[in-house]
Amino acid sequence: MKAEDNPLIRGILDEADKKAMEIEEAARNEVRSILEEARERAGREASMERRSYSVRLERIASREESARRSIDRLAELRSLDSAYRSVMDEVERRLRARISDPSFSDVLVEWIAEAAIGLDRKEAKVSFSEKTPVTEEMLRRSEDLVRKETGATLALSLDTERLSGEGVVLTSMDGKVSYNNQLDVRMRRYSRDIKRIVQEENARQNSR
């Protein structure tokens, strides 16, 4: 009689086979569970890595855009500064070219009147340079111009002091207050207006 034919032995063998199949099935299930968990973890990590990569790309793009704007702004400022200097140089060149022209006396009359209004005194002394001489007749014309523009009456007189720069300086009789209308000072005084005009013209050109 074979061992397999023994009911007891056969029962043991069948039970062993059954147990082995259960163990094998449990092992397969565990492997599937491990693989599924690994796939899910890999998916999560890949998703996190993609988001992290996307964030890094956005940061890099943002920095590049910021750098590009900074470069464009710097180039624009340099262009504006160059245009401003060119305009200022041309304005000064033209004004200095007019100084030797006899008609520049009319300009000086206006500068004297402007300074007199700014000084706001009943009397004032007028200093001038050898390159831009002022006469008594010019003072009277300046007084008339102030009276016409403001209704105020004032007395102007020539100062013995001479200026190094072209233009005029009006000083109160006590010497405590003065109004500088020399060429270089006037250029600085109107530089902001000239710069604004240059900026507006540049913006208009760029909008075309």
Side-chain angles (χ1 to χ4, degrees):
M1 182 176 180
K2 296 180 180 180
E4 292 83 349
D5 295 334
N6 187 311
L8 178 60
I9 295 175
R10 185 63 196 172
I12 293 172
L13 291 176
D14 289 344
E15 186 65 25
D17 288 341
K18 182 179 178 182
K19 193 66 176 178
M21 291 178 63
E22 290 177 353
I23 293 172
E24 184 179 350
E25 180 64 22
R28 281 197 295 268
N29 290 336
E30 185 175 357
V31 168
R32 282 195 295 268
S33 176
I34 292 173
L35 289 176
E36 182 63 26
E37 183 179 346
R39 280 194 294 268
E40 290 178 357
R41 184 169 61 252
R44 288 194 301 270
E45 291 176 353
S47 178
M48 291 175 61
E49 183 63 26
R50 283 194 297 270
R51 286 197 296 272
S52 176
Y53 181 70
S54 178
V55 169
R56 290 198 297 271
L57 283 180
E58 289 177 0
R59 289 176 178 172
I60 292 172
S62 178
R63 286 197 293 268
E64 288 179 348
E65 177 63 19
S66 178
R68 186 190 64 77
R69 286 197 300 267
S70 296
I71 292 172
D72 290 346
R73 180 58 179 164
L74 181 60
E76 180 184 4
L77 289 175
R78 286 178 175 173
S79 176
L80 286 173
D81 188 56
S82 177
Y84 166 73
R85 287 197 304 269
S86 296
V87 170
M88 292 292 286
D89 289 345
E90 180 62 19
V91 170
E92 184 174 4
R93 186 192 68 79
R94 293 188 182 188
L95 282 173
R96 293 191 182 281
R98 287 195 61 189
I99 288 175
S100 58
D101 192 303
S103 65
F104 193 71
S105 61
D106 295 335
V107 176
L108 285 175
V109 168
E110 293 179 356
W111 287 9
I112 294 169
E114 179 185 64
I117 294 172
L119 190 65
D120 193 23
R121 291 294 187 276
K122 294 295 184 181
E123 296 180 87
K125 298 178 292 184
V126 180
S127 305
F128 57 90
S129 74
E130 297 295 341
K131 293 182 179 180
T132 53
V134 176
T135 65
E136 291 285 351
E137 185 268 339
M138 292 168 63
L139 296 184
R140 304 293 82 78
R141 288 166 56 193
S142 296
E143 291 170 352
D144 291 341
L145 184 56
V146 172
R147 186 163 48 250
K148 178 181 178 182
E149 292 295 327
T150 68
T153 301
L154 73 157
L156 300 175
S157 58
L158 295 173
D159 198 338
T160 57
E161 181 182 353
R162 293 294 177 266
L163 305 174
S164 59
E166 299 88 339
V168 295
V169 174
L170 270 67
T171 308
S172 61
M173 300 308 290
D174 59 11
K176 294 182 178 180
V177 184
S178 64
Y179 190 104
N180 193 327
N181 237 356
Q182 294 183 87
L183 177 59
D184 59 341
V185 175
R186 287 182 62 83
M187 291 289 293
R188 290 195 298 271
R189 188 177 298 148
Y190 292 106
S191 62
R192 180 177 296 180
D193 292 333
I194 293 175
K195 182 173 291 187
R196 176 180 53 78
I197 292 171
V198 170
Q199 291 173 338
E200 290 176 352
E201 178 62 21
N202 181 73
R204 189 178 67 84
Q205 293 288 341
N206 290 337
S207 65
R208 288 182 174 181

